[in-house]
Each structure stands twice: as structure tokens, then as C-alpha cells.
Amino acid sequence: MTSTLLTGISELWTLDPALDDPARPGQVTEEQVLREAALVIEDGRVAWTGPAPQAPSADEREDLGGRAVLPGWVDSHSHLVFDGDRAAEFEARIAGQAYAAGGIGVTTSATREASDERLRDLVRARLAEAAAGGTTTMETKTGYGLTVADEARAARLLAALAADGELDEVTFLGAHLVPSEYDGQDGRPGAEEYVDLVAGEMLEAVAEHVRWIDVFCEEGAFDPARSERVLRAGAAAGLGLRVHGNQLGRSGGVALAAALGAASVDHLNHLAPEDVEALAATAARPVAPADAAALSADGAGAERAAGRVSGLLAVDTGPTVATVLPACDLSTRAPLAPARELLDAGAALAIASNCNPGTSYTSSMSFCVATAVLQMHLSLAEAVRAATRGGALALRRSDVGHFGTGARADLHVLDAPAAIHLAYRPGMPLTHQVRRRGERIS
């Protein structure tokens, strides 16, 4: 076993779950941020953290020169499998045109035409961009194919990247938009027939490759009844549930996600008090370890059950995490999701990038964290926790987002003495070094 001692850490955000304060759920305690600290990595996992003078010996040693170290960002919401460009749509939107869900169809056409090799290269390039900014755990979705063949192709591509350790979580989003060939005009099938397809043949084609199913529960996409059909079919297939909800209005997505025990509901720009209360009411739902038998039935199942990927929690237990997408809110000029109100009510909170070609073409989690602090009125500690531990909870992972003993050694080393520089110097290139499973990747 090879060990590496990292010293010269001015500020070490361990966010160690063992040091959580039960009286302050979701908050960062003083004990979870160490000063003048050190960290030992052994075989890709965290073996020790503590004061630098007490550090044990190791095979190798590296001085980080007085820099702050965070767990790598955990980005629980992205859409990386696409081709094409929607810059013209973005330009029109910032000139005053309202955002609507239909722009997804533009990307769908370009993605269907792309070769497997091109899509794989595009996804890998986007993963590398995210890693360069400190993201070490990433979820991404299908959803720009919207035929059985194209959704299955995307799912296989992503599952292969996950098997190779380049990606962490894969989600099926066949219910992203009703494609034009199901518009119900001139004898063509309609939305009900498309939902039948998604919940039937399409789901069967992708289920072995994915861990999650998602739906865009929104006006112009899928109403709550159709969304529920899709989600229940996914749950019956053993998949965890995720929901895009309440982005364009009070779509019913929040209520549906909470009622069905979804792991996450994302966007949340339009919430009434009862929506906030519904999410807060799920916060006490306990998580549980994933069952090995269930893992062997999902996409990367045999490999995960054999132990290559540890730290997975059951997809059908735990809270419905309120996932806010600050970059998307800015890009669409939407009302900012009420992250402050959600936290104050006791909801579990995550921050994610929503990297996609139409409404949030960035994977910079540092930008999202800075925006959450400067515009959503979160403290730095609250934002950092939401972008690490919060994202991990939304993905039902216990092995990432923190530096507890045995956690995956995913490090984001800042070119700054303190993490507050993320908000103090917004937009600056503050990532000095990134490690994933202990290996330097940026």
C-alpha cells in the first residue's frame, strides 16, 4: 500500500460526517474545518486528517504551500451527452425572449446525427473541463436522443465511462421533452403514446445501464400525472428517482418528488410555502446502505456489488434533496431558487451546475458556489457543504464530498489561503490542483 502525506494546508475542510452536530443538521461545525492541517492518502482513500505537527509518516510527502483544501465538488445534475450549439437561442433570451422548454428539440436533432465516437469525445472533453475546476464526482443524464435507439446509445456510452472510472452516476431522462414526432398532429402519435414508450420499451432498453430515472415535470414537457407514470415505472425497474421541477412555475414537481420519495428535485425557482414545507418534512428520512442484490440488478451492478464502487446508499431511502442550480437561474434570468428559505426551513440542500447547451452551459461549480453566496444569501460554509455533502446525499453516496476516514481521496486544492476567496474573488482561476481517488488529474 502506498501512502502520501499532504502538508502545508492552511485550511482543510474535512466536512467529516462523524463530526456533524445533530442539533444543527446541514451545518458545518468548527471541528470540520482544520487550520494548519495535514492529510494522508492511502490507496486512493483518506487515511488520516489532523493538525500538521501530529501527522504520521508516509511513503511520499507533498507540501501544498499554505493553500486551502476542499473535498472535490460533487455535481449531482448535468446533461453532457449532446452535440450542437444553442448560442443563438441564448443571445435571443438575453435580448428579452422568454425561456421555454422547446429549445431541447434543437439539441435533440444534432445529437441524433452525431456518431458514437463524436459523442464519446464530447462527453470526455466536458468531464475534463469539470475536473479542471475541482469537480471530482459527476452525475449526467441521457435525454437528447428521445428514441429507444438513441437513449439506449447514450446510456451505454455513459455506463462505459462509469465502468472506466471517468464518470460516477448515470441517469435516464427519456422524459425530457415530448419529441416532435409525437405531436399528435396529422395522424402522428401524441404525448400519451410517448409516455407509454418511455415507461415501457425505452426504459427496458436502458435500465441495465443506469442507476436513476428523471423527468422534466413542467409546463411544455410532462404534467404531474405523466411524470408519475414514468417515475413509478422506473421505481418498479429498481431505479432511483430524480425530478426536474418548479423551474417555470409551480409545476407540481416538488409535491410529486416528496410523495414518491425521490432522491432529489432540482431547479425550484417557483415555490410556495407548502412546497418548502414538503421538502423540509423529508429531511429526517434516514438513509440506508445499498443492498448488494439490488446493486447487481442495476447498470454497473455486478461491478459495484463486487466492491469496485463502495459507499453507495439505497436509492429508495433518505430525504428528497432540494437541488438549486444557480448558473441556470442566471442564464435564464429566472427568479433565484430560494436556497436561504429552504435551508432555514430544514430542507436538505445541494448545489449543482446543470451543465447543458441551452440554459447553463458551464460546469464551474466554483462559479455556482460563489453565486449561491453572493446572490442566494448562503454563507460560504453552507454553499460549500451543499456543493459537496449535499450533492453526495442527492446521489445517495457516502464515499464522496468529505474527508472522513475511508472516504474517496478527492481533493480540490485552491490557489488561495482560505475558501472564502471563492466568493471574495469570483470568477478568478483559483483551482491549483485536483486529485481523484488520490491521483492528480488537474
Side-chain angles (χ1 to χ4, degrees):
M1 295 189 294
T2 302
S3 59
T4 301
L5 170 63
L6 300 178
T7 63
I9 301 174
S10 57
E11 194 176 81
L12 180 64
W13 290 65
T14 72
L15 303 182
D16 186 347
L19 300 175
D20 283 348
D21 181 353
R24 300 169 58 224
Q27 298 296 313
V28 177
T29 67
E30 289 186 11
E31 295 80 9
Q32 290 172 324
V33 184
L34 306 179
R35 269 75 183 182
E36 305 308 321
L39 181 148
V40 175
I41 300 170
E42 191 171 275
D43 290 342
R45 297 199 171 268
V46 175
W48 182 89
T49 60
Q54 300 175 20
S57 59
D59 299 318
E60 300 173 356
R61 180 188 181 103
E62 181 177 347
D63 189 336
L64 295 178
R67 293 179 169 90
V69 177
L70 305 173
W73 302 128
V74 179
D75 189 351
S76 61
H77 184 133
S78 76
H79 305 255
L80 303 185
V81 191
F82 68 86
D83 200 356
D85 181 277
R86 284 161 64 185
E89 174 192 324
F90 174 77
E91 186 173 13
R93 189 165 64 245
I94 63 173
Q97 190 175 101
Y99 169 67
I104 294 166
V106 175
T107 301
T108 298
S109 297
T111 304
R112 288 175 176 177
E113 294 173 2
S115 67
D116 291 3
E117 182 179 9
R118 176 167 172 78
L119 285 179
R120 186 179 301 108
D121 289 347
L122 288 170
V123 173
R124 280 183 166 146
R126 290 164 188 147
L127 289 170
E129 287 179 339
T135 297
T136 53
T137 301
M138 198 149 197
E139 176 268 6
T140 201
K141 311 174 194 295
T142 71
Y144 290 123
L146 307 186
T147 67
V148 173
D150 285 300
E151 287 295 294
R153 174 175 72 145
R156 288 193 303 270
L157 184 158
L158 295 176
L161 292 174
D164 289 341
E166 298 179 60
L167 179 67
D168 299 278
E169 297 286 338
V170 182
T171 299
F172 166 49
L173 184 57
H176 201 183
L177 186 75
V178 178
S180 58
E181 57 265 34
Y182 284 83
D183 62 6
Q185 302 297 313
D186 299 325
R188 290 186 292 271
E192 282 296 317
E193 287 82 1
Y194 184 67
V195 171
D196 290 341
L197 181 71
V198 171
E201 183 183 356
M202 193 180 288
L203 174 59
E204 292 173 5
V206 304
E208 67 176 303
H209 305 297
V210 305
R211 189 175 179 224
W212 303 97
I213 188 168
D214 201 340
V215 62
F216 190 16
C217 182
E218 206 67 64
E219 184 179 353
F222 298 86
D223 64 20
R226 289 168 177 162
S227 297
E228 182 172 354
R229 283 182 57 202
V230 170
L231 293 172
R232 288 193 180 280
L239 304 183
L241 310 184
R242 319 188 73 76
V243 177
H244 289 58
N246 293 55
Q247 178 187 9
L248 306 179
R250 289 198 65 219
S251 66
V254 166
L256 179 64
L260 295 184
S264 179
V265 58
D266 306 14
H267 283 293
L268 308 178
N269 303 89
H270 298 274
L271 300 184
E274 53 265 40
D275 297 316
V276 175
E277 292 167 7
L279 290 171
T282 74
R285 294 175 182 169
V287 296
D291 178 70
L295 288 177
S296 65
D298 79 16
E303 186 174 12
R304 293 182 179 197
R308 184 187 182 284
V309 180
S310 62
L312 295 179
L313 301 172
V315 297
D316 57 352
T317 65
T320 297
V321 177
T323 301
V324 298
L325 311 172
C328 180
D329 297 353
L330 292 183
S331 178
T332 58
R333 292 179 172 169
L336 292 169
R340 176 78 271 150
E341 184 180 352
L342 286 159
L343 265 186
D344 289 346
L349 186 75
I351 292 171
S353 74
N354 189 28
C355 182
N356 76 83
T359 62
S360 186
Y361 202 176
T362 179
S363 59
S364 175
M365 288 288 284
S366 294
F367 172 71
C368 294
V369 165
T371 301
V373 173
L374 297 172
Q375 299 294 324
M376 291 179 162
H377 304 288
L378 299 188
S379 70
L380 176 74
E382 289 167 337
V384 167
R385 193 185 193 284
T388 51
R389 289 275 301 277
L393 181 59
L395 293 174
R396 297 301 191 258
R397 305 283 299 232
S398 62
D399 60 334
V400 296
H402 64 89
F403 293 142
T405 300
R408 211 168 77 181
D410 292 355
L411 281 69
H412 183 196
V413 182
L414 300 182
D415 212 355
I420 191 61
H421 282 244
L422 290 166
Y424 177 49
R425 305 185 67 209
M428 299 304 294
L430 295 181
T431 298
H432 172 73
Q433 178 188 127
V434 182
R435 289 175 180 256
R436 190 167 191 264
R437 297 191 178 93
E439 298 295 324
R440 187 165 180 174
I441 59 173
S442 180

